[in-house]
Amino acid sequence: MARKLPRLQRVLDAPALFSIAYGEIASSIYFALGIITLRALGFTPLVLLATGLLFLIVSLSYAEGTAAIRETGGAATFVRIAFNDFWGFITGWVLFLDYLIVIALSALFMPHYVAGAFFTKLHRPWDVVAGCGVIAGVAAIRLVHRTRLHRWALVVAIVDLATQILIVALGMALLFSPGALSAGTSLGTSPTWHSLAFAIPLAMLAYTGLETVANLAEETRRPGRDLPRSLFGSIGLVVIIYVAIAVVGLSAFPAKHGTLLGSNWIRAPLVGIVTQIREHVPDVIGAPLQVFVGLSGALILLTAATTSISGFGRLAYSLGEHGQLPRRFGMLRPRTLVAPESIIAAALIAIALLVGTAALAHPVLFLASLFSFGVLFAFTAAQLAVIKLRFSEPNRRRPYRVPFTIGRVPVPSVIGALLTFTVWLIAIATHQGARLAGPVWLGLGLVVYIVVRRSRGEGLLERVVSADEHRGLAEAEFSRILVPMKLGDIGEEMIATAVKLAQDRGASVEALHVIRVPMELPLDAELVDEEERAEASLAEAKLLGADHGVDVEGRTVRARSIGQAIVQEAQDSGADLIVLGSAPRWRRQSRFFSPTVDYVLKKAPSEVLIVAFPQGALESDGSEPQG
């Protein structure tokens, strides 16, 4: 059986994941700091610290969920598997709202940072006009060019970290004042209890990006090991830097009858801090510093908008392939990766949010409160799903488990769920945007879900299996899987596919590396380079299997024909399934598959699973052994 399985590529390693996680989470301080200080005043550092610790508790459940469920979709996937498709959709739908708000706020604040870099200010409504242009431009580029997060994440993360450390270092040296931190601050009066309660849900806006990282589980080479490390490392660093930046910000703008950081500089708070630093340094240093912070902030916000559009598309892909959105959203495309419809939808709705809230007295507060509605709902649902899966699927392999467990109950998940639900109730009680617009958004989602399910003839609670969950393979039993190896992206995809199938069925995997010996040489000729490549590929296969609890055996054989060697080894080992990959370059020639794949299909003594990659994918992987 030859099957084309649309797949996201496993290309992300630990450094790339850490870079993406830090860049995503730390980018939100550029628009969140002013919003939080507007209400929390002198308690802003403590609010950010408390919210950061809560965020860290939530990340424990996300780490277990992504390590155990290696699919895109984040919390929506956890909830769908733990409960049913309906609640999975509801979770995904509120997460759509969060992606859209990050897109809108990033685009709205970006022109202000650019203006700050040129020592000027941008006023309403031109920032809204510019923000709409940014969103439209990013969407247009995404429609014609596929972004590769892992290639730019490290650069953006370095720029982000350098900018923030520079502000903290100079701010602590030049601006820090314990007296300024406490000036005008009196709990219950300034800020009032209501303002402080209002600020706590708003502070969740400072910690965006967790869902974006969780959405990359299907594209991570070793999600069981790399995702938890990347999450915890990046979150810990972000919390420390956030608190330090808040201390510097309040030292620059003390909270006496309010703070200018939450009024004059609410849409470019880090530029505001730099303007105060400039007063203590020569202009030859201060002016370039403001230019750097303004332009780097604009770059980071542009990246945040771009990755949020991609995150929106990955979530739409997950919902679409499980019958929760129209089928077109659940299809991968060579040019854009995610469905073009999802990119267009994200851009149009984000622009509508910007335009629709522009007339409000405090549009950024409205959007921030609406963000808290969605993210707190999703965090609570994700943690409940992790708890539920401990009971409903106790034998599911969990490379990472939430620590401090009583019986099967992960205590941090219980505490985190109670805390996020409590803060969600506070948001409903204090935020008009969350109380009114949140339910409206949910109601719209219910209409979409019901229409989609009825058009497909499926029940609201019915579990819909995606195309790449292999309907035909679901009934088959495999005890031994043979996967021919080669170096490169396709080789990694094939061993990952074999390991996943073996993990689901308790099967073993044999990784076979065939060294093709030219006719002019004897079979036992010395081929040092080929032997080293074979050893490297088999070692990588065994490591991946060990990460996922699958027994992977390695074997190297020499042969004149790779196809004949694969067939012979399948016969000798009694393999039930052979997993092969087909590179897109062969479809530009007269044949669809390579000669090796053609031969195996004709002669194999067992079933053959072929993953055919789309045009434009893995084009650089041009070696012969499989495809």
Side-chain angles (χ1 to χ4, degrees):
M1 59 181 176
R3 302 173 186 268
K4 180 179 179 179
L5 304 180
R7 293 284 304 278
L8 295 167
Q9 302 169 29
R10 291 185 179 88
V11 296
L12 301 177
D13 55 13
L17 276 172
F18 177 84
S19 302
I20 293 172
Y22 185 84
E24 281 294 297
I25 298 170
S27 65
S28 51
I29 195 67
Y30 290 85
F31 52 74
L33 181 60
I35 297 172
I36 298 168
T37 54
L38 177 63
R39 291 301 185 124
L41 299 177
F43 284 88
T44 297
L46 292 178
V47 169
L48 283 171
L49 177 60
T51 311
L53 293 177
L54 175 57
F55 192 70
L56 187 59
I57 292 173
V58 173
S59 71
L60 297 176
S61 296
Y62 268 81
E64 177 172 321
T66 52
I69 303 171
R70 298 169 181 85
E71 297 180 29
T72 191
T77 297
F78 308 162
V79 174
R80 172 177 55 80
I81 293 175
F83 297 101
N84 53 50
D85 282 17
F86 173 78
W87 286 111
F89 171 80
I90 293 298
T91 304
W93 187 257
V94 296
L95 286 171
F96 276 148
L97 187 60
D98 290 341
Y99 280 120
L100 293 167
I101 291 171
V102 171
I103 295 167
L105 288 177
S106 297
L108 181 64
F109 280 57
M110 178 185 162
H112 289 276
Y113 277 89
V114 173
F118 293 96
F119 311 100
T120 185
K121 283 192 173 184
L122 190 66
H123 300 283
R124 298 165 67 178
W126 299 111
D127 55 349
V128 175
V129 174
C132 293
V134 169
I135 296 172
V138 170
I141 293 173
R142 281 292 286 111
L143 288 171
V144 299
H145 179 70
R146 174 178 168 183
T147 59
R148 300 183 185 276
L149 296 178
H150 58 290
R151 292 185 178 178
W152 297 104
L154 182 59
V155 175
V156 174
I158 290 173
V159 172
D160 195 358
L161 184 59
T163 304
Q164 294 172 358
I165 289 178
L166 186 62
I167 290 174
V168 170
L170 292 175
M172 287 294 185
L174 301 173
L175 302 176
F176 177 69
S177 169
L181 291 177
S182 58
T185 299
S186 176
L187 184 60
T189 304
S190 178
T192 64
W193 289 107
H194 180 273
S195 291
L196 193 60
F198 193 95
I200 292 174
L202 286 182
M204 298 305 300
L205 183 64
Y207 296 96
T208 64
L210 184 56
E211 270 296 323
T212 301
V213 179
N215 256 328
L216 300 174
E218 197 169 332
E219 299 167 74
T220 303
R221 289 176 178 173
R222 300 180 185 89
R225 182 179 66 180
D226 292 344
L227 269 170
R229 292 179 180 178
S230 303
L231 276 177
F232 302 147
S234 58
I235 292 172
L237 184 57
V238 165
V239 172
I240 294 171
I241 289 181
Y242 273 16
V243 173
I245 289 178
V247 168
V248 170
L250 287 171
S251 297
F253 299 102
K256 294 180 179 179
H257 310 292
T259 170
L260 294 179
L261 201 62
S263 55
N264 289 17
W265 293 104
I266 190 171
R267 301 196 182 193
L270 271 63
V271 172
I273 295 173
V274 171
T275 61
Q276 295 301 103
I277 293 176
R278 284 187 61 191
E279 295 183 3
H280 297 80
V281 297
D283 199 53
V284 69
I285 297 175
L289 177 64
Q290 184 168 335
V291 171
F292 173 74
V293 171
L295 294 182
S296 63
L299 170 65
I300 291 159
L301 290 172
L302 177 64
T303 304
T306 304
T307 54
S308 293
I309 288 178
S310 295
F312 183 100
R314 283 170 169 81
L315 178 57
Y317 164 71
S318 176
L319 298 182
E321 67 172 354
H322 290 95
Q324 296 160 302
L325 285 179
R327 286 185 175 88
R328 67 188 67 181
F329 287 95
M331 301 176 66
L332 297 179
R333 309 288 179 157
R335 183 183 298 273
T336 58
L337 183 62
V338 297
E341 291 84 355
S342 65
I343 297 173
I344 295 171
L348 291 179
I349 301 174
I351 289 174
L353 282 174
L354 275 185
V355 175
T357 58
L360 299 178
H362 298 289
V364 293
L365 278 182
F366 179 86
L367 291 174
S369 64
L370 194 53
F371 177 90
S372 67
F373 172 87
V375 75
L376 290 166
F377 184 100
F379 282 176
T380 304
Q383 293 173 105
L384 292 176
V386 168
I387 298 169
K388 171 70 161 48
L389 287 170
R390 286 283 189 97
F391 290 89
S392 60
E393 299 186 24
N395 296 323
R396 178 184 285 270
R397 185 172 179 274
R398 294 170 171 84
Y400 175 83
R401 299 173 69 91
V402 176
F404 309 113
T405 299
I406 298 178
R408 293 181 182 176
V409 179
V411 176
S413 298
V414 174
I415 295 173
L418 290 173
L419 289 176
T420 52
F421 182 68
T422 300
V423 179
W424 185 76
L425 292 177
I426 293 174
I428 295 295
T430 59
H431 293 209
Q432 188 175 23
R435 186 167 59 253
L436 300 179
V440 170
W441 177 258
L442 276 180
L444 179 62
L446 287 174
V447 173
V448 171
Y449 184 73
I450 292 171
V451 170
V452 169
R453 281 298 169 115
R454 288 189 174 178
S455 67
R456 295 170 60 103
E458 294 160 343
L460 298 183
L461 305 181
E462 181 181 348
R463 175 178 169 80
V464 175
V465 181
S466 67
D468 64 352
E469 287 179 279
H470 321 315
R471 292 179 182 270
L473 293 175
E475 298 79 17
E477 293 295 331
F478 306 118
S479 61
R480 189 170 184 82
I481 301 172
L482 175 66
V483 52
M485 290 296 299
K486 67 175 180 179
L487 295 176
D489 292 336
I490 289 183
E492 293 177 359
E493 284 292 310
M494 293 311 97
I495 188 63
T497 299
V499 165
K500 181 64 172 69
L501 290 172
Q503 185 183 39
D504 292 343
R505 291 162 174 78
S508 63
V509 174
E510 179 183 351
L512 175 69
H513 193 107
V514 182
I515 297 177
R516 182 167 54 186
V517 182
M519 294 296 295
E520 62 271 16
L521 297 177
L523 275 176
D524 58 354
E526 185 177 0
L527 300 170
V528 178
D529 291 343
E530 286 78 2
E531 291 285 356
E532 290 179 352
R533 284 196 290 268
E535 184 178 348
S537 67
L538 294 178
E540 182 74 15
K542 291 179 180 179
L543 180 61
L544 181 62
D547 286 345
H548 295 79
V550 173
D551 180 24
V552 176
E553 301 174 9
R555 177 172 166 77
T556 301
V557 300
R558 292 174 172 238
R560 306 293 186 188
S561 166
I562 294 176
Q564 289 179 359
I566 294 171
V567 171
Q568 185 62 49
E569 184 62 25
Q571 293 173 342
D572 295 343
S573 63
D576 305 303
L577 177 70
I578 302 172
V579 177
L580 295 172
S582 175
R585 65 190 181 96
W586 291 102
R587 295 193 288 284
R588 293 195 296 266
Q589 303 178 23
S590 58
R591 61 176 76 239
F592 190 82
F593 295 128
S594 69
T596 296
V597 174
D598 274 340
Y599 184 90
V600 174
L601 282 172
K602 294 175 182 177
K603 303 291 185 178
S606 61
E607 290 189 284
V608 179
L609 174 65
I610 299 174
V611 179
F613 294 89
Q615 294 287 353
L618 308 181
E619 293 285 22
S620 61
D621 200 337
S623 50
E624 160 64 19
Q626 290 176 29

